[in-house]
Structures are given as C-alpha cells and as structure tokens.
C-alpha cells in the first residue's frame, strides 16, 4: 500500500503535536552570557571602563539513550517527551468528504487528544514496542530453538519496553508461534520441548497494550522451501488489500470479498505440484476494544472482518465506524482452506459471563479465579502466565473453571488436509476522523 501525504497534527491544529521523538536529552547549564561591567556605571560611561570577557554558555549533553540487544530499555526512557511515532497515515479510499482537511474532523482529533482514554499516544507506544521487539525477534529466531525460548524472547522484550505495570501496560495476549498446518492459537505450555525445525513455516502473533489499547500484529517466517515464499506473498498482499479497503462506513462483507479475490489470485508450486492459495474461510479479523482483543463490550459482541466473500444470510452488512480499532488479519493455505480445533489447549480467557466470585465446592478454583481476575481481567492468558504470577498446582482448578464455562479455552487451529501449509499477516488500524492510521506498520511489513 502506498501512503499518501497527510497533514501533520500541527497542521491540523491538534494540541498534542506530533514531534520527532527526543532520543537525546540536551540538558544545558547556562553561564552568564551578558557582559559583566566593572564598577557601578552604566555602559558607555567612558573608555577607561573595562569589560570582562564574555563567558561562554556551558552545555552538558547527556548520553543518547538507545535500545539494547536484547531489547530491555523502556520506551519512556527513549521517547522522553512522551510522543511516540505515528503509524502509516493513509487517506480514506474514495473519500469524497475531504475528511483530511475538514475543520470538524480536525476538532474531533483535538478532542481525542484531550481524553486520556482515547489519546493516540497509548496505541502508538504499543505499536512502537511491537516494532522494536519483532525486529530483534526476526534477527534472532533460528531453527533449533525451543518454542518456549522464542516465546520468552518476545515476551521478556515486550514487558521491558512497554514497562509492564499491572493493567496500565503489558502483554496483550499470549504469543502465538503456530507452525506449518497450525494456523493459530498455539503457544508453548510450561515444560514444552517443541523445537523450531528447518523446513518450518511459523506464524508469529503477539500483542501489546497500553492503558488497555491493544496492538495486535503478526507475521510469518519461512525456514523451509523458498517456494513457500509465494504463500507468504499472497497473504501479505491480501492483508494489505484489507487495510486498503477498510474505512469509515465500509461494509464488513465488502472487505472480505476484496481480500479473497486477491488471496486466491495466487498459486504456489512446491516439488513440481501447483497448489491454489485459499483464504481460510472460518478465520477472521476483528474489532478491538479497550482490554478486549475481539472487541466485545459487556453483552455487545465485537465485529468480525471476514476474509472471504459471504453469501445469503451470512452476509454481514455492518459497517466500520469512525473511531473504531480493527485487527486486519488474513490467513492463507494450500490445503482445505478451513481449520479445526486440535491438540492441547494453551490459550484461555475469562468468559464474559464469569461470576465475580466462584461459588462452587472447589476451593482451589475459587482461589484461581480470584488470581485470574486480579492479574489478567478480560485479557487472554496462558499457563506460562499463571506461573509467571506465582500460581502453582493450578491445573485441576483451571480445568474446573473451563468445564463450568467460567474460563474459555482456545485449542490450536489446524488445517487438517495432509501437507497443508498456512501463513498469516496482520496489522492494527485506527479509523481516525481525518485519516486511517496503520498503527503497527513498519519497514518489515
């Protein structure tokens, strides 16, 4: 997608101006830079009056703060003015209302900056954390590594850069490291010995939140036959098509139709056999709400962004709305083009109908539910996260909460056709009043 020129927030008269980040702190010690006059007489009182030499200002520069490797420097120490890089700003497709120059739309954006709950800096900080963490991961993930070590690499970096602090900032959801025919929802459990192998195609999907504003972004790495690069290209192109089509008052069904058309224009040739690329029809993008990765708020469900053309009664004519956040993600496969739940569960989340307190007969379930509410709230979690907060011997209690539908479990999603390979790309977008911002866009994808 080619970004268009967008007026700066300074041009749009927004209070919180988009300044370049202050990565160097230039503290100054000012000397006396005026002439000191001997005696009490004013300047010009006579040639005999001598002036002392002008003192030069003394400037003390602090060291430039840069990111470490592995990344462990909190972003507030690098972006000291609290202003984080904007994502890719794109004019809405077929916009006939001149939103980008509208005084009314500019005023809406100014008001958004005054409200801490909608301030763009929240999600932009999360986006910059994602870019920096994934840049390190992309350079350092290699075949032979244990999946649990890859997850720790990503999550330890995320916690450090976002400056994890309870519900104010932290990880958005468990890191997905789904390989080959597994399209989504695999994350290693404690003690998992699974290794990334030569020949694998791995989807890396992780999230970051600041004040509940979640950035959800994913990419695919090919450690196998270069022929699979065509599958990655198809999925990346389809995701960018979805981003291009998305916008205010755009119907969700129209986005899905455009995505499928692009995705399925590709073919992959592997070992002399040609496979059509298929959109995985029962996977979707989704809206994102504060502390809600799939956009649901109370009894109101979030919106799903399809990645195939819908038919009949399944056509979703809901429209995207101004101010909404969406994860535009697409999945492609050379196999069946649908996924089933298979394997041991590793992702969990509280049900929206979960009681405040457990009233059953299992004391351990009561204790675990209180811990989940205290540490994760409505954010997804995994077994590794339970151990990270100090939980032990929790499996019986966790299974009890799942059986009673207090906690929901999400097993890995697999294309069951033998020889199937899957890929994923994903970005988070914000439908601003003036333009569309691809918050998680980077130089990599």
């Amino acid at each position: 997608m080619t970004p268009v020129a967008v007026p700066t927030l300074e041009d749009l008269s927004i209070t919180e101006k988009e300044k370049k980040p202050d990565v160097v702190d230039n503290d100054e010690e000012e000397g006396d830079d005026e002439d000191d006059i001997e005696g009490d007489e004013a300047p010009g009182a006579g040639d005999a009056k001598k002036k002392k030499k002008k003192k030069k200002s003394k400037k003390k520069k602090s060291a430039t703060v840069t990111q470490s490797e592995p990344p462990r420097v909190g972003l507030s120490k690098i972006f000291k003015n609290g202003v984080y890089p904007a994502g890719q700003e794109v004019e809405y497709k077929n916009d006939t209302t001149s939103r980008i120059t509208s005084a009314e739309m500019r005023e809406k954006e100014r008001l958004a900056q005054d409200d801490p709950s909608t301030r763009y800096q929240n999600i932009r900080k999360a986006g910059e954390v994602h870019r920096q963490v994934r840049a390190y991961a992309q350079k350092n993930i290699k075949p032979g590594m244990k999946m649990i070590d890859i997850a720790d690499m990503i999550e330890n970096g995320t916690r450090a850069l976002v400056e994890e602090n309870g519900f104010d900032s932290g990880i958005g959801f468990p890191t997905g490291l789904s390989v080959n025919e597994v399209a989504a929802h695999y994350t290693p459990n404690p003690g998992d010995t699974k290794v990334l192998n030569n020949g694998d195609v791995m989807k890396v999907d992780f999230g970051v939140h600041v004040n509940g504003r979640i950035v959800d972004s994913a990419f695919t790495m090919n450690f196998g036959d270069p022929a699979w690069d065509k599958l990655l290209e198809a999925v990346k192109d389809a995701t960018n098509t979805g981003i291009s089509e998305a916008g205010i008052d755009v119907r969700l069904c129209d986005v899905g139709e455009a995505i499928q058309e692009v995705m399925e224009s590709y073919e992959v040739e592997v070992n002399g056999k040609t496979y059509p690329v298929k959109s995985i029809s029962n996977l979707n993008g989704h809206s994102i709400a504060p502390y809600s990765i799939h956009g649901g708020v109370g009894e109101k469900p979030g919106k799903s962004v399809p990645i195939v053309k819908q038919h009949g009664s399944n056509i979703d004519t809901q429209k995207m709305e101004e101010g909404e956040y969406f994860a535009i993600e697409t999945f492609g496969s050379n196999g069946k083009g649908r996924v089933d739940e298979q394997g041991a569960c590793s992702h969990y989340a509280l049900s929206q109908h979960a009681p405040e307190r457990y009233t059953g007969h299992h004391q351990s379930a009561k204790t675990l539910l209180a811990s989940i509410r205290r540490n994760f709230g409505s954010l997804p979690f995994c077994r590794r996260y339970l151990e990270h907060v100090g939980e032990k011997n929790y499996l019986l209690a966790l299974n009890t909460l799942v059986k009673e539908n207090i906690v929901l479990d999400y097993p890995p999603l697999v294309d069951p056709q033998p020889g199937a390979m899957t890929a994923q790309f994903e970005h988070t977008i914000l439908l601003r009043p003036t333009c569309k911002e691809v918050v998680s866009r980077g130089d990599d994808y």
Side-chain angles (χ1 to χ4, degrees):
M1 182 192 304
T2 303
V4 301
V6 175
T8 66
L9 294 186
E10 183 174 9
D11 295 334
L12 298 178
S13 301
I14 290 177
T15 301
E16 187 175 38
K17 297 177 181 176
E18 288 301 326
K19 297 177 285 188
K20 291 185 178 180
D22 291 337
V23 294
V24 181
D25 184 15
N26 292 331
D27 296 325
E28 297 185 0
E29 279 188 8
E30 294 292 342
D32 183 2
D33 57 6
E34 294 184 2
D35 294 331
D36 286 340
I37 309 301
E38 288 187 346
D40 296 325
E41 297 190 34
D47 293 337
K49 305 299 181 184
K50 295 181 180 179
K51 296 182 181 180
K52 290 183 179 179
K53 289 184 178 179
K54 185 176 181 179
K55 293 181 181 178
K56 294 183 179 179
S57 297
K58 295 179 181 179
K59 293 185 179 180
K60 179 179 68 177
K61 291 187 178 181
S62 62
T64 300
V65 180
T66 58
Q67 192 52 259
S68 62
E69 286 203 359
R72 293 294 184 271
V73 180
L75 288 198
S76 69
K77 297 177 177 65
I78 298 176
F79 299 92
K80 296 184 179 182
N81 60 0
V83 178
Y84 299 92
Q88 179 193 29
E89 296 173 310
V90 185
E91 189 171 4
Y92 288 112
K93 187 175 181 180
N94 302 322
D95 178 22
T96 60
T97 61
S98 302
R99 282 181 167 271
I100 205 162
T101 57
S102 165
E104 179 186 356
M105 298 302 111
R106 294 200 301 268
E107 176 64 10
K108 283 186 177 182
E109 292 207 346
R110 187 191 68 77
L111 292 173
Q113 304 316 296
D114 291 340
D115 183 347
S117 67
T118 58
R119 191 168 292 152
Y120 299 157
Q121 295 310 318
N122 292 328
I123 199 166
R124 286 175 181 166
K125 180 178 182 180
E128 183 62 18
V129 169
H130 201 286
R131 280 187 288 272
Q132 292 195 20
V133 170
R134 77 187 189 227
Y136 180 80
Q138 288 163 350
K139 288 190 297 182
N140 289 278
I141 293 174
K142 300 288 190 297
M145 294 179 67
K146 290 183 178 179
M147 291 297 186
I148 201 163
D149 292 334
I150 297 172
D152 285 345
M153 174 197 298
I154 291 169
E155 292 166 357
N156 289 340
T158 298
R159 289 187 174 107
L161 269 60
V162 80
E163 296 156 298
E164 185 178 46
N165 181 27
F167 289 115
D168 291 341
S169 58
I171 291 173
F173 53 85
T175 300
L177 299 173
S178 303
V179 172
N180 301 338
E181 74 277 12
V182 183
H185 288 178
Y186 165 81
T187 196
N189 282 321
D192 194 327
T193 59
K194 182 177 175 63
V195 171
L196 177 67
N197 294 310
N198 282 306
D200 285 342
V201 174
M202 181 170 69
K203 282 68 64 181
V204 181
D205 187 355
F206 69 101
V208 188
H209 88 86
V210 176
N211 292 322
R213 291 298 184 179
I214 305 169
V215 162
D216 181 1
S217 187
F219 56 95
T220 300
M221 303 180 75
N222 179 17
F223 299 99
D225 190 329
W228 293 119
D229 288 343
K230 202 66 179 178
L231 174 63
L232 273 63
E233 180 185 338
V235 179
K236 186 186 293 186
D237 193 3
T239 296
N240 283 330
T241 297
I243 292 168
S244 177
E245 294 295 323
I248 296 167
D249 292 332
V250 172
R251 299 193 307 172
L252 297 171
C253 58
D254 294 335
V255 177
E257 183 174 354
I259 287 171
Q260 183 177 25
E261 182 178 354
V262 169
M263 180 86 78
E264 299 188 356
S265 68
Y266 284 82
E267 295 178 334
V268 180
E269 184 177 343
V270 181
N271 297 325
K273 186 173 181 180
T274 300
Y275 300 89
V277 176
K278 300 175 184 176
S279 284
I280 299 180
S281 59
N282 58 337
L283 292 178
N284 304 285
H286 50 89
S287 59
I288 304 175
Y291 298 100
S292 176
I293 186 59
H294 288 139
V297 178
E299 296 297 318
K300 183 180 179 181
K303 296 177 179 178
S304 293
V305 185
I307 63 173
V308 293
K309 182 177 180 179
Q310 297 175 316
H311 301 277
S313 61
N314 292 323
I315 296 176
D316 189 348
T317 59
Q318 288 185 95
K319 294 181 178 181
M320 295 179 163
E321 298 175 48
E322 182 183 295
E324 288 184 322
Y325 291 80
F326 285 92
I328 304 297
E329 61 180 321
T330 73
F331 297 82
S333 171
N334 70 316
K336 184 179 179 180
R338 289 185 63 84
V339 290
D340 302 328
E341 293 184 345
Q342 294 184 18
C345 182
S346 54
H347 281 66
Y348 301 87
L350 272 181
S351 166
Q352 65 178 13
H353 302 296
E356 286 298 320
R357 293 184 182 136
Y358 181 75
T359 57
H361 302 296
H362 299 276
Q363 180 61 37
S364 61
K366 178 180 180 180
T367 302
L368 183 61
L369 177 59
S371 176
I372 291 169
R373 284 200 175 280
R374 182 172 62 251
N375 290 289
F376 310 112
S378 56
L379 293 170
F381 61 95
C382 61
R383 295 184 196 175
R384 288 182 295 106
Y385 293 4
L386 290 174
E387 296 194 2
H388 181 77
V389 299
E391 291 298 325
K392 298 176 181 178
N393 302 319
Y394 53 81
L395 274 179
L396 178 61
L398 180 61
N399 289 335
T400 298
L401 294 175
V402 169
K403 287 178 183 177
E404 298 188 20
N405 294 317
I406 294 170
V407 168
L408 305 177
D409 60 344
Y410 298 92
L413 299 172
V414 181
D415 187 318
Q417 184 167 310
M421 192 68 78
T422 62
Q424 172 197 18
F425 280 91
E426 176 180 22
H427 275 300
T428 296
I429 66 171
L430 166 59
L431 302 183
R432 285 167 44 187
T434 60
C435 67
K436 173 171 45 185
E437 183 171 339
V438 189
V439 181
S440 51
R441 180 74 80 191
D443 294 335
D444 49 350
Y445 67 93

